[in-house]
Amino acid sequence: AEDEGIICCEGFVSEAEPHIDYNCVPSVVYTHPEVAWVGKTEEQLKEEGVEYVVGEFPMIANSRAKTNQDADGVIKVLADKKTDQMLGCHMINAVAGEMINEAALAMEYGASSEDIARVCHAHPTMSEAFREAAMTAYAGQAINFK
């Protein structure tokens, strides 16, 4: 809603065409664990006839989640099978509402799952799980889970 307000104001004061890509607007359900997503679902991609790959990473394999005794959940990355561009991300975990923003940023700038997999993430952090899910989409294998 904040971004839509900014776009509305920009439309009044600027001659530039306002922009918002609703596909890159994250959604969050604030439960415990949290549920968050951005982009397309597998069902939408199937309906659109888009070939895609799936990378998943369970939070139980994330060292920070285990240390915090909050390891419920999973992260799923959907990427285009031909171009590797990230098409969607869905996550369930204790901090999904915070973590989904990295996925939204990646999608806004057209990142591939390889781009995400090659970015060094601080260790130990929950956000490493997003990297590992992207790595699974790109390379077929995460570092810390088989």
Side-chain angles (χ1 to χ4, degrees), residues 59-71 123-126:
M59 295 307 294
I60 192 68
N62 177 267
S63 58
R64 182 70 177 261
K66 287 191 289 190
T67 301
N68 290 347
Q69 297 180 5
D70 216 350
H123 176 77
T125 60
M126 300 279 273

Side-chain angles (χ1 to χ4, degrees), residues 25-139:
V25 175
S27 297
V28 181
V29 179
Y30 295 100
T31 53
H32 188 80
E34 295 177 350
V35 180
W37 65 94
V38 64
K40 304 283 186 178
T41 65
E42 287 191 72
E43 291 77 17
Q44 289 171 318
L45 294 173
K46 287 175 187 173
E47 287 173 8
E48 295 171 10
V50 176
E51 292 185 14
Y52 64 94
V53 295
V54 177
E56 288 189 9
F57 189 80
M59 295 307 294
I60 192 68
N62 177 267
S63 58
R64 182 70 177 261
K66 287 191 289 190
T67 301
N68 290 347
Q69 297 180 5
D70 216 350
D72 291 336
V74 65
I75 298 180
K76 178 168 50 173
V77 169
L78 306 174
D80 187 281
K81 189 172 186 174
K82 295 178 187 117
T83 67
D84 192 38
Q85 182 176 10
M86 195 168 109
L87 303 173
C89 181
H90 310 271
M91 53 182 72
I92 301 171
N93 64 59
V95 293
E98 297 292 332
M99 289 178 62
I100 198 65
N101 297 305
E102 183 178 358
L105 179 67
M107 288 186 56
E108 186 69 45
Y109 286 96
S112 66
S113 60
E114 179 184 7
D115 292 333
I116 298 159
R118 291 187 178 274
V119 173
C120 182
H121 285 61
H123 176 77
T125 60
M126 300 279 273
S127 64
E128 286 179 293
F130 175 60
R131 178 189 187 196
E132 298 252 24
M135 191 176 299
T136 303
Y138 162 64

